[in-house]
Amino acid sequence: MRFRLTRLVILLAVLALAVPLTAEAQGKGTIKIATQSPLSGELAALGEGIKLGTQLAVEKFKAAVEKAGFKVELVPFDDQAKPDVGVANAKNIINDKDILAVIGHLNSGVAIPSSEVYKEVNLVMISPANTNPLITDRGLPNVNRVCGRDDVQGEVGARFAKDELKVKSVYIVHNKNQYGQGIAEYFQDTSKKLGVQVLGFEGTEERANFDPILTPIKAKNPDVIYFGGEYPQAAPMFRQAREKGIKAKFMGPDGLDSSELVKLGGDAVAGMHFTTVAGGVKEYPKAKEFADEYKKKFGKDPEPFAAQAYDATAVALKGLEAAIKEAGGKVPTREAVSKATRKVKYSGITGSIEFDDKGDPKKATYLIYQVGKDWKDNKLVKRLEIAAPAAKKQ
């Protein structure tokens, strides 16, 4: 009996120590981190990767904020890759005062109008994937990204086509949205500067029958067809081009950086090249543990931008930690979190992250791949580390 009493006393003592710690971890309330990315629709594979990468990072790095007395919670939003949905979500996000950071978006055309809403309350946004220069060139103090930019990526692609593929002519097609048309224009501008003949430049929202576009392309016989946009349009267009007997090489930007490209395009896309600001996790030696944990937890390999979302979330948590400390342990303001996040210096799984004055990473990674018959067989043919362009004078 005495032995049982002793064990009971020990148990009660342990519980007495544990309860205050639990209470302390949640005693000051909840801090939420939101994601905005397409979780439904044809770009859901990439959007879900952003959400899941963020989820892993929250679980991995929330301890410091919880030690300060706050529960950390992830709240995912589905922007459906549509600007109006993203803006509607953004309005709901800023009305939830517990949300102190946003990780997203996938599409620049959604991120730009949504970030104008975040700006109203100085809510920090860190993008793992948005490459349009306007993301940061507007000079918003709350908007940052951990990836590269389309003005650089477009130039990288055009120089590769000229110098490595030795092409003399290109035909450029884009999807008419802010991202696709934008990077197509950057590719076109550099191609012209390099003396490559641009045989055509046109936009289309077609998703099934590309014959009206491909017939004139076949007649002009370009060395390369470049598609500015995402894989759901690019893959069937390239497949139909091969079926039509067009022999041109194919190229595109990071919107094609998804295993879905091969599933939709089949043999037609094997051997083509694309540029990207993300790439596979195998290109980042420090990302192996992340990739293993991701596959163990979610039963699949991480899509491009999942690792970037992981790093973006880690940066957000560092910013939160610093802002809480500056606030004397109290809930920080959104403006304080934005200011603290801009100052974070972080060594992540995709590289060192330090923002410049406009929210770009001081150096970003640009990769060029050749697509294999299976996505895991993609070959990295070039890797560049390039500084962000300086802010343009207004």
Side-chain angles (χ1 to χ4, degrees):
M1 184 66 179
R2 174 176 292 178
F3 178 68
R4 287 181 179 175
L5 281 173
T6 302
R7 286 205 301 180
L8 180 61
V9 169
I10 292 173
L11 178 61
L12 290 173
V14 169
L15 288 173
L17 288 172
V19 168
L21 287 175
T22 305
E24 183 185 358
Q26 301 180 14
K28 295 181 182 177
T30 299
I31 289 177
K32 298 177 183 175
I33 295 176
T35 58
Q36 272 239 70
S37 60
L39 303 178
S40 59
E42 57 190 7
L43 294 175
L46 293 176
E48 186 188 49
I50 289 174
K51 185 195 79 170
L52 298 181
T54 302
Q55 180 181 330
L56 270 188
V58 168
E59 293 170 2
K60 184 89 171 180
F61 303 118
K62 66 181 180 180
V65 175
E66 288 199 336
K67 189 176 179 182
F70 300 95
K71 181 182 177 184
V72 180
E73 184 178 319
L74 172 67
V75 281
F77 287 79
D78 179 7
D79 67 23
Q80 301 176 30
K82 298 176 181 175
D84 58 337
V85 177
V87 168
N89 287 344
K91 290 177 180 176
N92 288 328
I93 285 171
I94 67 171
N95 286 330
D96 184 342
K97 294 183 178 178
D98 290 338
I99 296 177
L100 296 187
V102 177
I103 307 300
H105 297 240
L106 173 67
N107 307 86
S108 293
V110 183
I112 291 169
S114 299
S115 61
E116 292 291 336
V117 179
Y118 307 143
K119 181 187 69 173
E120 295 174 12
V121 294
N122 287 311
L123 175 63
V124 69
M125 168 188 137
I126 309 175
S127 172
N130 296 134
T131 49
N132 189 290
L134 278 179
I135 294 290
T136 49
D137 280 357
R138 293 169 296 162
L140 302 184
N142 61 311
V143 175
N144 314 276
R145 61 175 143 206
V146 299
C147 59
R149 301 162 49 109
D150 285 343
D151 45 358
V152 179
Q153 185 185 185
E155 180 174 345
V156 166
R159 289 190 179 281
F160 177 78
K162 171 71 166 54
D163 298 339
E164 307 295 331
L165 300 182
K166 309 297 182 186
V167 306
K168 296 180 179 177
S169 63
V170 297
Y171 198 106
I172 301 168
V173 182
H174 62 82
N175 65 359
K176 288 188 172 181
N177 73 23
Q178 198 158 14
Y179 159 71
Q181 182 168 347
I183 193 161
E185 289 171 349
Y186 291 120
F187 183 89
Q188 175 182 235
D189 292 346
T190 303
S191 295
K192 287 180 176 177
K193 288 177 186 173
L194 295 175
V196 174
Q197 188 179 11
V198 179
L199 298 176
F201 183 92
E202 66 177 295
T204 179
E205 295 177 341
E206 178 60 52
R207 313 187 86 76
N209 178 18
F210 291 92
D211 195 63
I213 294 172
L214 293 174
T215 296
I217 290 178
K218 185 176 182 180
K220 293 187 177 181
N221 193 28
D223 292 334
V224 160
I225 300 174
Y226 182 91
F227 184 82
E230 289 103 2
Y231 59 83
Q233 273 181 284
M237 189 192 81
F238 290 145
R239 191 181 65 242
Q240 290 175 33
R242 280 289 180 265
E243 291 169 353
K244 201 173 179 63
I246 294 174
K247 299 187 183 303
K249 295 180 172 68
F250 302 147
M251 281 193 72
D254 59 315
L256 279 57
D257 189 2
S258 169
S259 59
E260 295 292 312
L261 177 72
V262 170
K263 292 177 185 175
L264 297 171
D267 288 345
V269 299
M272 70 166 289
H273 293 85
F274 69 89
T275 57
T276 183
V277 296
V281 290
K282 66 182 180 182
E283 316 304 347
Y284 304 98
K286 292 171 68 177
K288 185 179 183 311
E289 183 180 340
F290 160 78
D292 291 344
E293 288 182 3
Y294 190 103
K295 188 162 190 175
K296 183 179 179 182
K297 189 174 184 68
F298 305 120
K300 54 188 172 184
D301 293 321
E303 285 283 337
F305 303 112
Q308 284 73 18
Y310 184 85
D311 275 350
T313 308
V315 169
L317 285 163
K318 286 286 182 186
L320 280 165
E321 183 183 346
I324 291 168
K325 188 175 181 181
E326 191 173 313
K330 297 179 181 178
V331 181
T333 65
R334 284 168 163 168
E335 183 177 7
V337 177
S338 286
K339 287 182 178 177
T341 300
R342 183 62 62 86
K343 297 176 184 174
V344 169
K345 296 179 182 179
Y346 181 70
S347 180
I349 59 173
T350 61
S352 296
I353 298 168
E354 181 179 358
F355 300 121
D356 64 14
D357 290 343
K358 58 186 185 304
D360 277 322
K362 288 189 174 179
K363 273 195 173 181
T365 301
Y366 298 86
L367 308 166
I368 302 174
Y369 281 95
Q370 185 171 32
V371 177
K373 284 187 175 294
D374 191 288
W375 190 251
K376 64 180 174 54
D377 298 328
N378 285 359
K379 179 184 176 184
L380 177 65
V381 296
K382 200 158 193 174
R383 179 181 188 129
L384 301 162
E385 305 290 331
I386 302 177
K392 294 179 180 176
K393 294 180 180 178
Q394 300 295 319

